[in-house]
Amino acid sequence: MRRYGKHTDEDDIRSRPNRRGNRPRTHIRPKHEDAAGGMVLTVDRGRLTCLVEDRVVMAMKARELGRKAAVVGDRVALVGDLSGRKDTLARIVRIEERGSVLRRTADDDDPYERVVVANADQLAIVTALADPEPRPRLIDRCLVAAYDGGLSPLLVLTKSDLAPPDELLGLYGALDIPYVVTNREELENGDAADRVREHLGGRVTAFVGHSGVGKTTLVNALVPEERRRVTGHVNAVTGRGRHTTTSALALPLAKADGWVVDTPGVRSFGLAHIDPSRVIHAFPDLEPGTEGCPRACGHDEPDCALDAWVADGHADPARLYSLRRLLATRERTEGD
Ligand SMILES: Nc1nc2c(ncn2[C@@H]2O[C@H](COP(=O)(O)OP(=O)(O)OP(=O)(O)O)[C@@H](O)[C@H]2O)c(=O)[nH]1
Ligand SMILES: [Mg+2]
Ligand SMILES: [Zn+2]
């Protein structure tokens, strides 16, 4: 598939040359032979910061795109001033088809779906081992969203200098999800970035998790100079004056070997858009146990086969508890 190629519309014979202020009078779209390919790095109200080749270019969406929104991670076609010089503004004339979409709702009963990031291949679920306390509930929800959106999960457990990872690894170790454990010292000597980087090559990885778990700290360790280059400031993470991230930001890894996307901390990861019958796919340790379930089992009924499966020692009871809690919250909010 051509992602960055030049683009010609076939139905634009009557449109005029695309001079400033000289728009075609019909619905016919102007020709964008000069369009260049770019990646949306961050969005601030109507302003989109894009990377075009190696230039950081500010852009706005062309009116012809209508209501379709470009989001972080989108591959777009741009025309106009692509110099990247101060006070220039390019136009986004096309949003390429998305390879994946990570969505969430604020809560399970919130009908408003937001796209967190487009085209991500991997979801790094960042959880601090302490400060803030780990909450498996959010991990489970992120796993559901990842599997549903076509992203593969990576578990990143931070702050092992404050608490040991054993309990969480006990819960998620059986899932065959790749994981990395990091701490303060390894952040400082570069080991944390190195170990995380082993999982990032050639992919677009979105970092999600509660506020304060260390997403930005880790992203900054992975791409030390990129944030400043793209946003013009460092967003210094210092003890008391900590900056909480307010919008998603995609940054290229060195040698064009993939991308990392820092995202704002979430309180919950609403799954209103996901069919409850798909939730079980995020519990691969339990899924084989559903073979003995009655048809259309909701997995919280008396004849659900999962109780026996867990009682026989095939999976951790805490995981069945997690599944049922997740299904129950989903159901309750759907009912009202
Ligand atoms: N002790 C310890 N502190 C850490 C570690 N990683 C990050 N921190 C600290 O945790 C605090 C929060 O880090 P951030 O990187 O801002 O967290 P975040 O996930 O980006 O938070 P939001 O942007 O609000 O979502 C900072 O004070 C970091 O210095 C770690 O491994 N160990
Ligand atoms: Mg942050
Ligand atoms: Zn069942």
Side-chain angles (χ1 to χ4, degrees):
M1 198 189 91
R2 265 191 329 172
R3 266 184 166 161
Y4 294 105
K6 294 202 167 175
H7 176 68
T8 350
D9 282 332
E10 275 133 60
D11 57 351
D12 62 355
I13 308 131
R14 290 193 297 150
S15 74
R16 300 210 190 163
N18 189 24
R19 263 180 268 125
R20 199 185 300 270
N22 190 4
R23 296 177 183 280
R25 276 170 285 187
T26 61
H27 290 301
I28 296 160
R29 288 196 288 159
K31 200 177 211 168
H32 296 302
E33 279 196 323
D34 53 343
M39 161 99 159
V40 177
L41 303 182
T42 190
V43 182
D44 182 9
R45 279 151 285 176
R47 294 280 171 111
L48 298 103
T49 307
C50 303
L51 195 69
V52 180
E53 287 165 14
D54 59 351
R55 297 185 305 282
V56 177
V57 172
M58 295 301 291
M60 279 178 74
K61 209 177 65 172
R63 209 189 305 166
E64 67 204 67
L65 283 182
R67 297 176 63 179
K68 190 174 178 195
V71 301
V72 173
D74 262 325
R75 310 283 176 168
V76 293
L78 302 102
V79 299
D81 192 333
L82 305 176
S83 66
R85 279 192 296 267
K86 200 167 172 287
D87 297 329
T88 59
L89 201 55
R91 274 190 310 134
I92 294 176
V93 292
R94 193 168 67 248
I95 302 169
E96 308 294 358
E97 204 181 310
R98 293 169 181 161
S100 77
V101 181
L102 177 68
R103 301 169 204 277
R104 75 174 187 95
T105 53
D107 283 302
D108 283 345
D109 54 358
D110 176 5
Y112 180 68
E113 249 180 53
R114 52 211 90 195
V115 176
V116 181
V117 50
N119 296 316
D121 310 297
Q122 183 165 246
L123 188 66
I125 304 166
V126 187
T127 306
L129 292 159
D131 186 29
E133 284 309 303
R135 281 190 275 173
R137 182 182 140 85
L138 185 73
I139 302 179
D140 295 336
R141 287 173 165 269
C142 290
L143 288 174
V144 173
Y147 287 116
D148 200 74
L151 289 76
S152 47
L154 168 69
L155 208 54
V156 181
L157 305 179
T158 62
K159 310 196 188 186
S160 70
D161 49 311
L162 303 180
D166 314 285
E167 204 177 310
L168 273 186
L169 289 180
L171 275 182
Y172 294 96
L175 297 195
D176 262 347
I177 300 171
Y179 66 87
V180 185
V181 181
T182 65
N183 60 40
R184 165 74 69 204
E185 192 187 325
E186 292 166 347
L187 275 169
E188 279 155 18
N189 68 21
D191 286 356
D194 287 348
R195 253 176 313 111
V196 173
R197 203 178 283 114
E198 281 171 26
H199 297 271
L200 308 181
R203 313 213 252 178
V204 179
T205 302
F207 289 75
V208 299
H210 284 302
S211 183
V213 295
K215 300 178 293 295
T216 300
T217 308
L218 198 55
V219 166
N220 285 351
L222 287 160
V223 284
E225 293 304 322
E226 289 300 315
R227 184 179 304 266
R228 189 207 308 266
R229 187 166 80 92
V230 169
T231 65
H233 41 87
V234 235
N235 202 15
V237 182
T238 52
R240 271 192 296 160
R242 185 172 83 77
H243 288 268
T244 190
T245 307
T246 53
S247 48
L249 175 66
L251 297 169
L253 286 161
K255 303 191 189 100
D257 194 24
W259 298 79
V260 286
V261 185
D262 190 8
T263 69
V266 293
R267 269 189 299 131
S268 74
F269 208 102
L271 301 172
H273 56 297
I274 291 174
D275 184 333
S277 68
R278 299 173 63 96
V279 168
I280 185 72
H281 302 317
F283 291 79
D285 49 339
L286 298 175
E287 203 172 8
T290 63
E291 259 169 42
C293 287
R295 248 195 324 141
C297 182
H299 307 309
D300 48 5
E301 295 146 39
D303 49 356
C304 175
L306 286 173
D307 295 278
W309 169 264
V310 167
D312 286 347
H314 293 293
D316 191 325
R319 292 281 298 158
L320 182 54
Y321 176 73
S322 289
L323 170 69
R324 289 189 170 152
R325 191 179 46 188
L326 214 160
L327 288 168
T329 44
R330 292 276 300 104
E331 240 161 49
R332 199 169 53 238
T333 50
E334 253 166 23
D336 48 47

